């Protein structure tokens, strides 16, 4: 009934409850829900005021009347009674013409994968309360003030389970920057809520009308469902120990017509709003027809935060195919062990290569695929904010993927077989997903006509299962052209017919077509271009092949998918720039010149091959070390000193030099020509466990001819001095990164001084300063890896280094 | 209607914080000025090493956080006391930070132990890789704190307060030795964060902090 009414006119929702109850004696911090039993008259009085002011819909006083929230007040046992009482009160307050909406607030905790409790636990919490409200006879359910899309999903699914034909309204809450707490944008929230069957979609709380207005504009463009809005009375302030919302009824009410124009069908108020505000907006808007809205057509899938639209007029979408263990031994082994590092790396690489969504297949034989799918979905969405395509032959794996995914996923796939339709459509409906539908039954049809008939049958079955036409993307079947040449060509005709006659978007698995033939790349490129021209909207394909992406980009120009050729031009500009950079780098050089450059550039992957090459060409090892590599690293040091290069360059160069020197060392030792500058014992002091900087210094010192004994970390004074004695050290190098451990440096320095030991003490680390080094009486301070070699060399020459002037030597 | 999730006895726990490793920020942490992308580095070897560190970090980081809001009881000359502890907010910096606050949110975040384990594994033979990974890890530890900070800020604003800056043990005269007390109060064991006797957080790439709820002027 409400849905029919909303087609004709705007409806008015009520305003805030909490502040008005506090005015009637509700103690600060006390749950208003408890007054449904303890002081029902106060609730009734507030709601009666709203009804009198013109509200068409009253929210029950049950925002916190769910399991965990009530348990905070030891009132969980009264959950049913509290919710039931709230409905009775609202009916009494509003009279026969009022609609009573059963209000469901957040669970009071966070939901996995982002949060604490499992999806199922959240679902049960919401189901319990929704069932109580439905049993009490509400006219609709209203989920409100949801911060997180996954929690919203659990709430909607729970309500769907118990509400039958009772309408469902759901509000997401957005901050001043127009996003939900966990980053979801309004378009994504609307798309997800609509696909889960929410009847009225809205935003409430957290912000005043000024910040909520753009949210409503976006939502109204992103769904065909009625829109509801409940802003706060401005941004809150603290006054005399209480939170107050300063916006008065009149300025707040001025926003109501703007919300109406933006597309809102139901308008009310949240925190700080009053019956006076409701009275004013009812006067302005009561009876007004809904404003016209525009809607961007297309199949929508979402990540937690962003929406992707697939369909005519939108760019062609690349669904990255690379998360798939088929034929990949190492990848499959990692998945079988439960390791997701390769899956995550592949997800990142596909994102960086331009994929618009990612197909996720973790089907390794003899593994727990449902568990692995859940794990993979969780791991991927932590690092990549693309919509995901959940790809499995097993319904349990599909379901685990959907449970762990807050957004609106694309399920891969169903076909026209009755068994598969009956198995998977309910899952798609339950989780609000979209689905890829193959235009085949158990046999692959040769002709386009039969495939299109299959598509039409799938749509009929979808309707029976309550799956919307707009959530289905058809796969016209990319067949192996070498085996089924005629049928493969019919795929293009199928695309044309579905686009023209059925009206749904299409997608296919591209790589199939070229299987078994040489030069697969050109076949894939040609077929893709032809398919784009026939109307194909997306493909499961590799995002790594540059030529394929270029062909796609060019084909899109003729398919209405690249207005003003902008994307094509941008792509070509990037490619030309990369080619120019590559050309600038090349030029004839000797091997020794290349070694020098490789060290300066810190290219550790190339150095070993180059050293071997130089030796094979007859270069003397000592000459290479002294006249090529050492000048290279010193030149880099000069560049560092001139602030043209930075510490990362030093670190990369040090590692590069180390790898080169490792090849030369046996040859230098055999020739007796190895230079020994001095001996240094290094340690991170007792109680401290940081040592990366020290390890880098150790390499740099070795590169410059020092013998370095690195004792590791958390090293007591006695061990340091024993090692210095054992190795006849010239220098003791100490590292500390904490204010709680740096005094250990003084312990070492004091013993060296008292016992007149022959070592120079050099200190460094993030918390160490020249002042500290001077005060504890060491011989040198090294700021970072950039000057540790010069510092050590200075100490060998008998100088102090890095200390404040006037320090004793 | 809104609620303040974090003002209970239990912390609010966030189990998997989605993240993106911004190359610009990593380059800044490496003190390489003026560049936004790793590919802008002329030195291909250095660029490859940094990219490798970033790619590895994606496979090793599991961001988690927890936060809890406690009530300020009294401001004294040398400390600010709460209902839960008299010995947490000690020092003149804490008095300056919290004297106009009614509440304070304690938070702890971590990127987990896997990345630092990889650093240990790399240190022997691949010190440069270990170094770059360490820098990425340090930045991402701060990043996770930023993510939780943003959620806490939303709660603060919703309740009509302004936030103070985020302040960690070891800043100013807020002694590092309060670390254990802070971790206890925020319930950081639930995300696997503890500290050594010398107040070093474990896993090392973790952050603890406080944000005050300041009354609006």
């Amino acid at each position: 009934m409400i849905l029919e009414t909303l087609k004709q006119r705007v409806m008015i929702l009520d305003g805030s409850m909490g502040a008005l109850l506090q005015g009637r004696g509700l103690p600060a911090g006390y749950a208003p829900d408890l007054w449904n039993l303890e002081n029902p008259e106060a609730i009734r009085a507030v709601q009666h005021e709203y009804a009198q002011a013109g509200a068409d819909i009253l929210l029950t006083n049950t925002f916190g009347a769910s399991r965990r929230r009530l348990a905070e007040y030891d009132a969980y046992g009264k959950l049913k009674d509290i919710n039931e009482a709230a409905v009775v009160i609202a009916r009494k307050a509003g009279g026969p013409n009022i609609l009573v909406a059963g209000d469901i607030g957040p669970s009071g905790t966070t939901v996995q994968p982002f949060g604490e409790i499992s999806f199922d636990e959240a679902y049960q919490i919401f189901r319990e309360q929704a069932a109580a409200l439905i049993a009490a006879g509400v006219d609709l359910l209203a989920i409100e003030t949801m911060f997180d899309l996954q929690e919203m999903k659990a709430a909607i699914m729970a309500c769907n389970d118990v509400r039958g034909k009772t309408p469902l309204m759901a509000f997401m809450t957005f901050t001043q920057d127009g996003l939900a707490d966990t980053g979801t944008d309004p378009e994504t929230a609307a798309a997800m809520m609509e696909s889960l069957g929410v009847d009225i979609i809205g935003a409430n709380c957290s912000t005043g009308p000024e910040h909520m207005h753009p949210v409503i504009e976006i939502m109204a463009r992103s769904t065909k469902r009625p829109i509801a809005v409940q802003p706060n009375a401005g941004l809150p302030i603290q006054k005399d120990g209480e939170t107050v919302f300063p916006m008065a009824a009149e300025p707040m009410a001025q926003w109501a017509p703007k919300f109406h124009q933006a597309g809102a069908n139901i308008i009310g108020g949240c925190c700080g709003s009053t019956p006076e505000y409701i009275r004013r907006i009812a006067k302005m808007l009561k009876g007004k027809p809904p404003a016209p809205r525009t809607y961007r057509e297309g199949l929508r899938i979402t990540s937690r935060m962003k929406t992707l639209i697939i369909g005519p007029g939108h760019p062609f979408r690349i669904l990255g195919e690379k998360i798939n263990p088929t034929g990949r031994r190492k990848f499959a082994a990692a998945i079988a062990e439960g390791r997701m590092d390769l899956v995550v790396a592949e997800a990142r690489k596909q994102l960086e290569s331009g994929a618009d969504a990612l197909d996720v297949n973790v089907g390794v034989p003899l593994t727990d695929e449902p568990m692995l799918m859940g794990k993979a979905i969780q791991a991927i969405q932590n690092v990549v904010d693309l919509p995901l395509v959940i790809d499995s032959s097993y319904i349990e794996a599909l379901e685990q993927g959907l449970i762990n995914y807050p957004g609106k996923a694309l399920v891969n796939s169903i076909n026209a077989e009755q068994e598969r339709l009956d198995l998977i459509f309910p899952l798609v409906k339950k989780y609000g997903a979209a689905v890829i539908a193959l235009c085949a039954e158990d046999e692959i049809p040769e002709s386009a006509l039969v495939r299109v008939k299959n598509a039409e049958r799938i749509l009929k079955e979808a309707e029976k299962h309550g799956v919307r036409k707009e959530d289905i993307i058809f796969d016209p079947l990319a067949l192996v052209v070498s085996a089924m040449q005629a049928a493969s060509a019919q795929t293009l005709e199928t695309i044309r017919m579905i686009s023209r006659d059925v009206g749904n978007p299409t997608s296919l698995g591209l790589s199939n077509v070229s299987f078994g033939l040489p030069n697969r790349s050109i076949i894939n490129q040609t077929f893709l271009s032809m398919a784009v021209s026939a109307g194909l909207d997306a493909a499961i394909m590799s995002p790594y092949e540059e030529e394929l992406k270029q062909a796609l980009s060019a084909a899109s120009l003729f398919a209405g998918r690249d207005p003003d050729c902008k994307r094509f031009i941008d792509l070509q500009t990037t490619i030309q720039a990369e080619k120019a950079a590559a050309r600038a780098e090349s030029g004839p050089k000797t091997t020794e010149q290349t070694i020098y450059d490789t060290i300066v550039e810190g290219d550790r992957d190339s150095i070993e091959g180059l050293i071997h090459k130089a030796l094979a060409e007859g270069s003397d090892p000592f000459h290479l070390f002294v006249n090529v590599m050492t000048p290279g690293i010193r030149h880099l040091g000069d560049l560092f000193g001139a602030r043209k290069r930075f510490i990362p360059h030093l670190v990369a160069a040090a590692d590069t030099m180390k790898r080169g020197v490792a090849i030369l060392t046996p040859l230098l030792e055999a020739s007796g020509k190895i230079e020994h500058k001095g001996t240094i014992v290094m340690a991170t002091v007792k109680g401290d466990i940081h040592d990366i900087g020290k390890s880098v210094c150790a390499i740099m010192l070795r590169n410059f001819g020092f013998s370095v004994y690195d004792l590791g970390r958390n090293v007591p004074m006695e061990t340091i001095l024993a090692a210095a004695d054992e190795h006849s050290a010239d220098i003791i190098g100490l590292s500390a990164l904490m204010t709680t451990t740096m005094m250990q440096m003084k312990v070492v320095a004091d013993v060296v001084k008292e016992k007149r030991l022959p070592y120079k003490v050099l200190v460094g680390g993030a918390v160490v300063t020249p002042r500290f080094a001077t005060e504890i009486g060491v011989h040198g301070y090294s700021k970072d890896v950039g000057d540790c070699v010069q510092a050590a060399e200075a100490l060998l020459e008998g100088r102090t280094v890095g200390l404040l002037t006037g320090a004793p030597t | 209607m809104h609620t303040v999730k974090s003002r209970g006895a239990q912390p609010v726990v966030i189990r998997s914080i989605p993240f993106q490793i911004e190359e610009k920020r990593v380059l800044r942490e490496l003190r390489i000025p003026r560049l936004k992308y790793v590919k802008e580095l002329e030195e291909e070897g250095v660029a490859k090493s940094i990219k490798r560190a970033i790619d590895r970090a994606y496979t090793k980081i599991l961001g988690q956080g927890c936060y809890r809001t406690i009530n300020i009881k009294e401001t004294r000359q040398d400390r600010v006391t709460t209902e839960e502890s008299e010995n947490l907010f000690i020092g003149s910096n804490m008095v300056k930070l919290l004297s106009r606050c009614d509440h304070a949110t304690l938070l702890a975040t971590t990127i987990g132990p896997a990345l630092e384990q990889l650093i240990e594994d790399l240190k022997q033979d691949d010190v440069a890789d270990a170094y770059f990974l360490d820098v990425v890890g340090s930045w991402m530890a701060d990043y996770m704190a930023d993510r939780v900070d943003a959620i806490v800020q939303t709660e603060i604003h919703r309740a009509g307060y302004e936030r103070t800056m985020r302040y960690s043990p070891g800043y100013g005269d807020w002694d590092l030795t309060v670390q254990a007390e802070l971790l206890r109060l925020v319930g950081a064991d639930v995300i696997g964060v503890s500290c050594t006797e010398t107040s070093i957080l474990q896993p090392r790439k973790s952050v603890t902090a406080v944000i005050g709820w300041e009354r609006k002027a």
Side-chain angles (χ1 to χ4, degrees):
Chain A
M1 191 182 77
I2 181 175
L3 300 178
E4 284 308 309
T5 308
L6 288 172
K7 287 179 188 168
Q8 315 300 325
R9 64 175 178 88
V10 168
M11 294 179 83
I12 307 297
L13 189 46
D14 62 13
S16 101
M17 174 71 71
L20 295 175
L21 289 181
Q22 278 166 8
R24 284 170 163 79
L26 181 75
Y30 197 67
D33 319 83
L34 299 177
W35 268 19
N36 291 337
L37 297 180
E38 294 166 11
N39 191 355
E41 177 49 33
I43 312 291
R44 191 208 65 78
V46 169
Q47 290 182 321
H48 182 69
E49 275 198 64
Y50 281 120
Q52 292 291 106
D56 298 300
I57 307 166
L58 294 176
L59 294 173
T60 56
N61 180 37
T62 50
F63 180 83
S66 58
R67 179 186 304 176
R68 287 174 79 107
R69 305 285 298 280
L70 289 177
E72 289 172 28
Y73 299 91
D74 292 323
Y76 170 52
K78 299 179 193 166
L79 184 146
K80 194 163 169 294
D81 294 337
I82 288 172
N83 282 279
E84 198 176 289
V87 177
V88 167
I89 293 166
R91 283 259 175 258
K92 223 192 235 175
N97 298 321
I98 260 296
L99 291 175
V100 173
D103 189 77
I104 297 172
S107 63
T109 180
T110 48
V111 182
Q112 289 170 12
F114 189 67
E116 182 67 353
I117 65 171
S118 70
F119 186 85
D120 187 62
E121 192 179 342
Y123 174 93
Q124 296 301 336
I125 288 171
F126 292 120
R127 191 184 189 284
E128 188 176 38
Q129 187 185 10
L133 289 164
I134 290 288
V138 293
D139 298 304
L140 66 155
L141 288 171
I143 301 166
E144 59 151 311
T145 323
M146 288 289 169
F147 304 88
D148 171 54
L149 205 63
Q150 184 74 334
E151 189 173 8
M152 172 66 95
K153 195 173 191 178
I156 294 172
M157 287 174 60
C159 289
N160 285 346
D161 210 24
V162 299
R163 67 184 173 104
K165 290 193 170 8
T166 305
L168 175 61
M169 181 162 64
F171 296 86
M172 196 85 186
T173 196
F174 298 91
T175 62
Q176 288 172 56
D177 61 6
L179 302 174
D181 281 25
T182 47
T184 303
D185 66 32
E187 181 181 14
T188 300
M192 209 275 297
M193 288 195 266
E194 178 171 347
S195 69
L196 278 166
V198 172
D199 299 293
I200 303 162
I201 290 170
N204 82 307
C205 203
S206 296
T207 59
E210 183 188 344
H211 291 101
M212 199 167 285
H213 186 261
V215 167
I216 293 301
E217 284 185 316
I218 294 168
M219 280 187 146
R221 283 199 301 270
S222 308
T223 176
K224 291 179 185 169
R225 298 270 193 268
I227 297 286
V229 60
Q230 284 192 297
N232 286 350
L235 296 174
I237 53 172
Q238 280 293 312
K239 202 174 172 191
D240 302 325
E242 283 185 13
T243 306
V244 298
F245 292 83
M247 202 174 195
E250 173 53 31
M252 192 176 172
Q254 290 305 316
W255 281 92
K258 295 178 192 174
F259 281 122
H260 173 233
Q261 278 310 304
N265 305 85
I266 297 178
I267 299 166
C270 200
C271 302
S273 59
T274 59
E276 177 54 28
Y277 160 72
I278 296 299
R279 197 175 346 269
R280 286 173 187 261
I281 67 170
K283 202 168 160 194
M284 281 193 253
L285 294 177
K286 199 121 186 172
K288 277 216 163 34
R293 280 158 57 177
T294 53
Y295 172 73
R296 290 174 68 203
E297 297 286 345
L299 179 144
R300 282 166 166 75
I301 55 174
T302 80
S303 64
R304 178 198 288 276
M305 296 197 265
K306 295 209 187 89
T307 299
L308 184 74
I309 306 179
I310 304 175
H314 297 283
F316 187 91
R317 304 304 188 187
I318 297 175
L319 313 181
E321 68 178 7
K322 289 302 191 180
I323 299 173
N324 190 321
T326 308
R328 301 171 70 187
R329 208 163 44 87
K330 221 168 126 189
F331 199 78
I335 291 173
E337 287 169 29
R339 282 174 30 223
M340 292 296 140
D341 51 332
L342 298 188
V343 167
V344 161
E346 200 74 73
R348 286 295 314 170
K349 197 173 160 198
Q350 291 187 94
L351 166 75
E352 288 167 11
S353 302
D356 299 297
L358 301 179
D359 187 271
V360 181
N361 182 320
V362 293
V364 177
L366 303 175
T367 60
D368 183 350
E369 193 177 330
M371 182 275 291
L372 291 170
M373 178 64 87
K375 216 170 166 183
I377 295 294
Q378 279 197 37
I380 292 167
Q381 65 185 315
N382 270 358
V383 300
V384 155
D385 185 32
L386 294 178
L388 300 183
V389 182
I390 301 175
D391 182 357
S392 177
S393 311
Y394 295 106
I395 187 150
E396 296 83 2
L398 291 176
E399 183 150 27
Q400 278 305 309
L402 290 166
I403 283 173
N404 282 283
Y405 189 65
K408 180 183 174 185
L410 182 58
V411 167
N412 187 0
S413 56
I414 58 168
N415 60 23
E417 283 179 276
Q418 194 62 46
E419 194 184 328
R420 193 114 179 119
L421 291 168
D422 290 338
L423 207 55
I424 295 185
F425 266 147
L427 203 68
V428 167
K429 164 106 178 115
K430 181 178 174 186
Y431 288 93
V435 64
I436 296 175
L438 276 63
C439 298
E441 286 187 274
D442 47 358
E443 281 181 16
I444 295 172
E446 172 120 355
S447 82
L449 262 173
V450 174
R451 297 185 214 182
V452 172
K453 276 204 169 14
N454 282 330
E456 287 165 349
R457 196 169 95 69
I458 288 169
L459 284 178
K460 280 204 180 71
E461 289 296 316
E463 200 178 356
K464 282 189 206 158
H465 286 277
V467 173
R468 305 179 310 160
K469 181 175 186 280
E470 50 259 57
D471 286 331
I472 299 174
I473 182 166
F474 284 110
D475 184 330
L477 305 172
L479 303 172
V480 179
V481 69
S482 61
M484 303 172 78
Q485 206 162 5
S488 192
Q490 284 285 293
T491 301
L492 299 170
E493 182 58 20
T494 309
I495 295 169
R496 270 183 220 107
M497 290 176 72
I498 290 179
S499 300
R500 185 185 64 218
D501 304 331
V502 179
N504 280 56
T506 50
S507 168
L508 46 71
L510 179 65
S511 312
N512 280 352
V513 295
S514 58
F515 185 76
L517 286 172
N519 200 355
R520 293 185 67 177
S521 176
I522 192 65
I523 300 172
N524 291 343
Q525 286 172 47
T526 307
F527 181 76
L528 183 60
S529 301
M530 294 172 78
V532 168
S533 158
L536 187 71
D537 299 285
I540 299 178
M541 55 184 268
S542 168
Y544 300 154
E545 293 174 42
E546 294 306 322
E547 284 174 348
L548 188 60
K549 287 193 287 191
Q550 286 227 54
L552 173 59
S553 175
S556 294
L557 296 174
F558 304 99
R561 296 188 187 272
D562 188 0
D564 303 321
C565 307
K566 187 176 180 316
R567 288 160 67 99
F568 180 83
I569 292 169
D570 288 345
L571 178 62
Q572 295 306 313
T573 306
T574 307
I575 290 169
Q576 294 311 318
E578 283 168 3
K579 279 186 181 157
R583 272 196 300 271
E585 281 165 18
S586 57
K589 277 192 282 195
T590 65
T591 306
E592 289 185 7
Q593 282 171 328
T594 309
I595 289 173
Y596 178 94
D597 290 340
T598 298
I599 287 179
V600 175
E601 288 166 16
D603 187 357
R604 67 117 187 245
D605 293 333
S606 306
I607 190 67
E608 286 164 344
L610 287 166
I611 296 289
H612 285 300
K613 188 172 177 222
L615 292 171
E617 287 170 0
S619 293
D620 176 72
F622 187 67
H623 160 76
L624 279 178
F625 179 72
V626 168
N627 298 324
V628 178
M629 296 166 74
T630 302
I633 201 100
R634 286 207 183 273
H635 174 62
L636 179 64
D638 294 338
L639 292 172
F640 174 76
R643 302 223 15 96
K644 290 182 181 168
R645 295 288 185 275
F646 307 95
I647 288 186
H649 298 88
L650 293 183
V651 173
D655 196 36
T656 304
M657 176 108 175
K658 173 195 145 205
R659 285 162 195 270
V661 166
I663 297 172
L664 296 178
T665 299
L667 303 170
L668 293 171
E669 282 171 347
S671 71
K673 281 182 177 175
I674 200 156
E675 186 197 357
H676 174 69
K677 204 167 254 178
T679 300
I680 175 164
V681 161
M682 299 182 76
T684 298
V685 298
K686 185 175 165 191
D688 203 320
I689 55 177
H690 300 89
D691 70 347
I692 277 290
K694 171 176 66 65
S695 300
V696 175
C697 284
I699 292 185
M700 297 182 82
L701 290 161
R702 286 191 185 104
N703 285 344
F704 279 84
F706 284 87
S707 297
V708 180
Y709 296 90
D710 187 348
L711 304 178
R713 42 194 192 183
N714 189 18
V715 186
M717 173 266 293
E718 296 80 4
T719 309
I720 294 169
L721 294 179
D725 179 51
E726 182 191 342
H727 300 293
S728 305
D730 300 292
I731 299 169
I732 292 173
L734 301 174
S735 168
L737 252 85
M738 309 287 289
T739 53
T740 47
T741 57
M742 63 199 293
M743 291 313 292
Q744 284 293 315
M745 293 175 161
K746 184 175 187 306
V747 169
V748 173
D750 285 347
V751 173
V752 167
K753 225 180 319 188
E754 278 156 24
K755 295 191 173 175
R756 295 179 198 274
L757 297 174
Y759 321 118
K760 305 289 185 191
V761 180
L762 175 67
V763 297
V767 293
V768 181
T769 60
R771 174 174 297 284
F772 175 77
T774 309
E775 281 172 4
I776 65 170
V778 295
H779 302 89
Y781 161 72
S782 167
K783 187 163 78 75
D784 53 36
V785 302
D787 70 359
C788 61
V789 172
Q790 290 93 307
E793 287 174 338
L795 291 182
L796 282 186
E797 290 166 11
R799 293 182 279 126
T800 60
V801 61
L803 304 179
L804 298 181
T805 32
T809 54
Chain B
M1 198 184 297
H2 71 279
T3 54
V4 181
K5 286 198 290 282
S6 62
R7 285 214 233 146
Q10 301 299 323
V12 177
V13 180
I14 305 167
R15 285 279 174 215
S16 297
I17 302 176
F19 64 95
Q20 298 289 316
I21 304 177
E22 276 182 84
E23 293 185 5
K24 183 170 86 172
R25 296 308 304 260
V26 172
L27 291 166
R28 199 154 85 183
E29 287 297 303
L30 289 167
R31 313 250 174 82
I32 298 177
R34 289 186 298 274
L35 299 184
K36 277 209 301 203
Y37 299 104
V38 170
K39 67 182 178 195
E40 292 175 80
L41 269 164
E42 285 174 14
E43 302 76 30
E44 211 181 293
V46 181
K48 271 196 278 186
S49 292
I50 298 172
K51 183 76 171 58
R52 192 161 43 234
I54 291 174
D55 289 345
R56 275 173 165 152
Y58 271 114
T59 68
K60 294 296 176 189
I61 289 174
L62 177 63
Q64 298 193 86
C66 62
Y67 63 96
R68 183 178 166 218
T69 300
I70 58 181
N71 299 324
I72 303 290
K73 200 164 85 175
E74 186 191 0
T75 302
R76 301 181 196 162
Q77 207 159 14
D78 66 333
R79 69 187 65 202
V80 172
T81 66
T82 72
E83 286 164 11
E84 292 79 3
S85 174
E86 300 239 322
N87 300 316
L88 179 61
F89 300 132
I90 298 178
S92 63
N93 290 122
M94 282 291 107
V95 172
K96 198 168 157 202
L97 185 79
L98 299 174
S99 58
R100 284 181 42 79
C101 295
D102 292 331
H103 315 286
T105 299
L106 308 176
L107 65 94
T109 61
T110 182
I111 65 169
L115 187 131
E116 72 188 58
Q117 183 55 57
L118 179 57
I119 291 171
E120 287 306 305
D121 294 342
L122 288 171
K123 249 175 21 193
Q124 272 314 308
D125 297 316
D126 282 306
V127 171
D129 278 3
Y131 172 83
F132 289 119
L133 197 56
D134 187 70
V135 171
V136 172
S138 295
W139 158 239
M140 292 311 294
D142 274 338
Y143 176 100
M144 295 303 171
D146 288 346
R147 296 282 74 73
V148 174
D149 181 307
I151 293 171
V152 171
Q153 174 173 286
T154 306
E155 271 197 36
I156 293 173
H157 287 166
R158 280 198 180 112
Y161 287 89
E162 296 283 5
R163 53 148 320 143
T164 65
M165 62 178 279
R166 185 170 88 222
Y167 215 83
S168 288
Y171 287 10
D173 67 353
W174 197 25
D175 203 80
L176 206 48
T177 50
V178 307
Q179 200 73 279
E181 179 72 344
L182 195 163
L183 290 170
R184 181 186 71 82
L185 285 169
V186 81
D189 56 309
V190 78
I191 59 168
V193 176
S194 60
C195 71
T196 66
E197 274 176 15
T198 47
S199 302
I200 299 175
L201 290 172
Q202 292 189 308
R204 261 180 286 148
K205 303 299 183 193
S206 304
V207 169
T208 54
V210 64
I211 302 172
W213 296 42
E214 199 170 74
R215 296 180 286 279
K216 283 184 185 174

